[in-house]
Amino acid sequence: MWAHEHEVESAALQQLRNIAALPWVEGVRVMPDVHLGKGATVGSVIAMRDAVSPNAVGVDIGCGMIGVRTSLTVEDLPDDLRAVRSRIEAAVPVGFHAHDQPIDPRRLRSISGSGPAEVARGAEAFWSRFGRLHGRVSDLEVRARRQLGTLGSGNHFAELCSDTEGRVWLQLHSGSRNIGKTLAEQHVAIAKRLEHNQGLVDRELAVFLGGTPEMDAYLADLWWAQEYAARSRAVMMTLVVDAVRASFPDRDVTFEEAVNVHHNYVAVEHVDGQELVVTRKGAIRAGAGDLGLIPGSMGTGSYIVRGLGNPESYWSASHGAGRRMSRTKAKKTFTLDDLAVQTAGVECRKDSGVLDEIPGAYKDLDAVVAAQSDLVEVVARLTTLLCVKG
């Protein structure tokens, strides 16, 4: 556990005990951004033997981060970033909105600017698998295609940031949108009905067992949804890159290779000589040399990190600062004046629609990163200059 027990809410601690008591669990690792989740705790890494719990992944399958460093410096930026934010918001639908027509990845430039976007590779084969997903999503393909490359809501965002050397970065946080949520919820419902889950202390921890058609079906849908999320982030980043290029028409802005990582996902990994199913819910993989992104909240910046490959954490690290209070409590605790103060100097929304995302509702990002110095090393500390919220 990389969090101080006295700092973790009692309900989250009980949830972790419930998870650890499951007969299929080999071990649980707890990240410093840990907080209460549905079924399984956010900020947990769970290794199971021939079993997987859909709620140990979460309903936003494949949620994660993508980031890219640009050739711009803070000196290149205008004093007022409102026009840049407007271009990004025009390019990337947020909230419940979607593109009017599905994005054709073959018409997108790569982030480097030469040739088609990387996300165009395998797109046809990817969509050909849609017909094999859980039957109850068969009528959602048109919506899923239109939502590919859209931001969503909640804690999802697109940001323009600067590092300590004055270089400008782009990053965004998103997941598998409605299609991933629908698939997850349908499989949770199936798992809850299985006989071996009837005596669980919390039915939200219902699991699928290896070698069963139910687990095979879940994993097949999950692999698809994880790829959907990664492709969606890649599409969005090309749209954001184009919006930034258009904002600086007199400059030849270049962009480095993107880092695209999940933090709600499943992987089959070797742990202590065993092949186990590892779920990371609010955690990134931090194998030796793995690059990762650990964001804070709107206005508090982010960290670019490199994994140290610590096996004690199952090669994992936190996915962000982590909430310290619920959305409902945040709305009752803070005012719009508080939001304006806490996001001072950041070009972003400052209205009631994002009050529950106020920085004060989250844990201290610097403390969270400091608590896992044996898991990751810091590559760059980013300061948020512009934030687009869903």
Side-chain angles (χ1 to χ4, degrees), residues 84-129:
V84 181
R85 177 161 76 98
S86 295
R87 283 194 178 92
I88 295 173
E89 289 173 337
V92 178
V94 302
F96 294 103
H97 298 289
H99 294 287
D100 293 334
Q101 297 294 329
I103 295 290
D104 184 348
R106 295 171 298 181
R107 297 189 177 186
L108 297 173
R109 288 189 295 173
S110 69
I111 290 174
S112 66
S114 59
E118 291 291 322
V119 76
R121 282 190 203 162
E124 290 186 12
F126 168 72
W127 283 108
S128 72
R129 290 156 49 199

Side-chain angles (χ1 to χ4, degrees), residues 36-319:
L36 188 69
K38 185 174 183 179
T41 322
V42 180
S44 63
V45 183
I46 304 167
M48 289 191 179
R49 298 178 299 275
D50 293 322
V52 63
S53 171
N55 273 332
V57 184
V59 296
D60 196 358
I61 299 171
C63 187
M65 293 282 300
I66 185 171
V68 60
R69 190 168 73 167
T70 82
S71 61
L72 293 168
T73 67
V74 289
E75 287 77 17
D76 299 322
L77 302 177
D79 293 335
D80 188 345
L81 290 171
R82 188 173 306 175
V84 181
R85 177 161 76 98
S86 295
R87 283 194 178 92
I88 295 173
E89 289 173 337
V92 178
V94 302
F96 294 103
H97 298 289
H99 294 287
D100 293 334
Q101 297 294 329
I103 295 290
D104 184 348
R106 295 171 298 181
R107 297 189 177 186
L108 297 173
R109 288 189 295 173
S110 69
I111 290 174
S112 66
S114 59
E118 291 291 322
V119 76
R121 282 190 203 162
E124 290 186 12
F126 168 72
W127 283 108
S128 72
R129 290 156 49 199
F130 191 93
R132 299 196 292 272
L133 299 179
H134 189 286
R136 293 184 63 183
V137 302
S138 59
D139 59 342
L140 297 180
E141 183 174 359
V142 171
R143 182 178 182 182
R145 285 180 178 268
R146 290 178 57 227
Q147 285 193 323
L148 186 83
T150 64
L151 194 61
S153 56
N155 61 358
H156 294 167
F157 62 79
E159 288 187 342
L160 184 150
C161 307
S162 64
D163 62 22
T164 52
E165 297 176 352
R167 291 285 294 274
V168 172
W169 291 68
L170 303 176
Q171 61 173 1
L172 58 86
H173 173 209
S174 71
S176 51
R177 299 304 320 270
N178 176 260
I179 187 65
K181 176 177 181 292
T182 302
L183 287 169
E185 289 175 344
Q186 291 178 354
H187 284 287
V188 168
I190 292 170
K192 286 181 177 179
R193 295 194 294 266
L194 297 176
E195 185 176 353
H196 62 264
N197 291 318
Q198 299 311 303
L200 297 181
V201 65
D202 182 357
R203 291 275 298 286
E204 296 297 340
L205 289 173
V207 305
F208 293 121
L209 300 181
T212 63
E214 292 86 0
M215 181 161 171
D216 291 344
Y218 172 65
L219 289 179
D221 287 359
L222 176 129
W223 304 140
W224 187 91
Q226 288 182 181
E227 185 175 345
Y228 179 95
R231 285 179 173 275
S232 186
R233 284 192 294 274
V235 167
M236 265 186 289
M237 184 56 81
T238 63
L239 298 176
V240 172
V241 160
D242 283 345
V244 171
R245 281 196 179 106
S247 300
F248 299 89
D250 299 328
R251 298 190 62 86
D252 180 22
V253 185
T254 59
F255 302 83
E256 298 182 2
E257 185 176 353
V259 179
N260 193 347
V261 297
H262 296 312
H263 54 228
N264 280 15
Y265 75 108
V266 175
V268 177
E269 301 183 5
H270 283 86
V271 180
D272 297 332
Q274 306 177 74
E275 186 175 81
L276 301 177
V277 180
V278 178
T279 56
R280 293 183 175 90
K281 183 177 183 178
I284 60 172
R285 196 173 200 284
D290 289 346
L291 285 175
L293 299 93
I294 302 179
S297 58
M298 55 187 295
T300 57
S302 300
Y303 279 89
I304 310 297
V305 298
R306 183 178 289 109
L308 297 177
N310 190 335
E312 293 299 313
S313 69
Y314 294 152
W315 304 275
S316 305
S318 76
H319 82 310

